Amino acid sequence: MTTEKEHNDTTLEAMLADPRRREEGFRQLMRDYGDRLYWHIRRIVVGHDDAEDVLQETCIKILTGIDSFRGEGKLTTWIYSIATREALQSLRRQTHLFQSIDALGPVLTNKMEAETPLDAGAAEVLFQKALLTLPTQQRLAFNMRYYDELSYDEIARITGKNVSTLKVNYHLATEKIKKYLKQHEQ
């Protein structure tokens, strides 16, 4: 028995695969997943403008690559894989030669602070700062599990990492976040 969401994804896949209905399917895709994709990307690249750029690149890749979607996994997993790759590629473009994207923590923190709404609570800002201290793989695992509520199996398909590595990354991330928050309590 398929759920309504799975049925809608199957319908969406059919629309995207049919060149005559691709535009309609793409509009439906953005209605269904646009906000989720934006925030997934934004949590990786941090800045609004960067997230908008990456979302646009992601949409282009989805639209031009839909023929390569084999339907072996869920449509959302395929879409998240593209969005994650594009977001990480955006971060890599911001690094200097021989620098890891993990070294972008201070740059991303500055972006986050510059774009934090005035009504944001101190606890929320502190939590975001804690996240930005994490290595990229831990931050990805944490964000996808905590915010996107994806299973470890889905995250594994998206990132290409194995489930046990993701569980370790998530555990390490939560411990580092707790430690950071405790050290910076008011």
Side-chain angles (χ1 to χ4, degrees):
M1 186 168 138
T2 62
T3 66
E4 181 180 343
K5 182 73 176 144
E6 290 169 331
H7 173 73
N8 290 346
D9 282 353
T10 303
T11 304
L12 182 57
E13 288 169 29
M15 284 192 297
L16 289 169
D18 181 350
R20 296 169 303 209
R21 298 186 67 202
R22 197 165 281 179
E23 188 176 324
E24 174 190 357
F26 189 71
R27 282 194 306 274
Q28 184 63 45
L29 175 82
M30 293 319 302
R31 280 192 296 275
D32 291 352
Y33 297 104
D35 286 345
R36 287 174 54 193
L37 281 177
Y38 169 81
W39 284 107
H40 171 69
I41 293 166
R42 175 93 185 253
R43 284 188 291 274
I44 298 170
V45 299
V46 178
H48 169 73
D49 291 340
D50 292 336
E52 287 285 330
D53 291 345
V54 171
L55 180 60
Q56 186 175 16
E57 286 298 317
T58 299
C59 291
I60 290 168
K61 294 272 168 98
I62 290 168
L63 199 54
T64 59
I66 192 64
D67 294 331
S68 68
F69 178 66
R70 298 180 203 97
E72 294 168 359
K74 294 193 315 189
L75 180 64
T76 53
T77 303
W78 183 72
I79 291 168
Y80 266 76
S81 296
I82 294 170
T84 303
R85 278 193 310 274
E86 290 300 311
L88 291 174
Q89 188 60 32
S90 174
L91 289 179
R92 284 185 197 100
R93 285 191 293 269
Q94 295 177 41
T95 63
H96 300 292
L97 193 59
F98 304 116
Q99 185 182 24
S100 163
I101 59 176
D102 290 337
L104 289 174
V107 172
L108 297 177
T109 299
N110 289 340
K111 277 186 188 180
M112 185 270 302
E113 288 174 340
E115 295 188 23
T116 299
L118 295 175
D119 63 344
E124 180 182 345
V125 172
L126 187 61
F127 186 73
Q128 292 306 313
K129 285 181 179 181
L131 285 174
L132 293 173
T133 65
L134 299 173
T136 304
Q137 293 304 316
Q138 290 175 16
R139 190 162 53 97
L140 278 175
F142 183 86
N143 285 341
M144 285 191 236
R145 187 83 174 124
Y146 181 80
Y147 288 111
D148 298 318
E149 299 178 345
L150 298 173
S151 70
Y152 286 113
D153 288 333
E154 289 172 305
I155 299 169
R157 285 192 285 286
I158 291 166
T159 62
K161 306 290 182 201
N162 68 46
V163 170
S164 59
T165 299
L166 292 168
K167 287 179 178 180
V168 168
N169 279 333
Y170 182 81
H171 174 74
L172 290 172
T174 56
E175 292 304 311
K176 287 177 182 178
I177 290 167
K178 287 176 191 175
K179 182 178 177 183
Y180 184 93
L181 295 175
K182 188 173 183 169
Q183 288 175 343
H184 293 86
E185 284 179 337
Q186 306 288 352

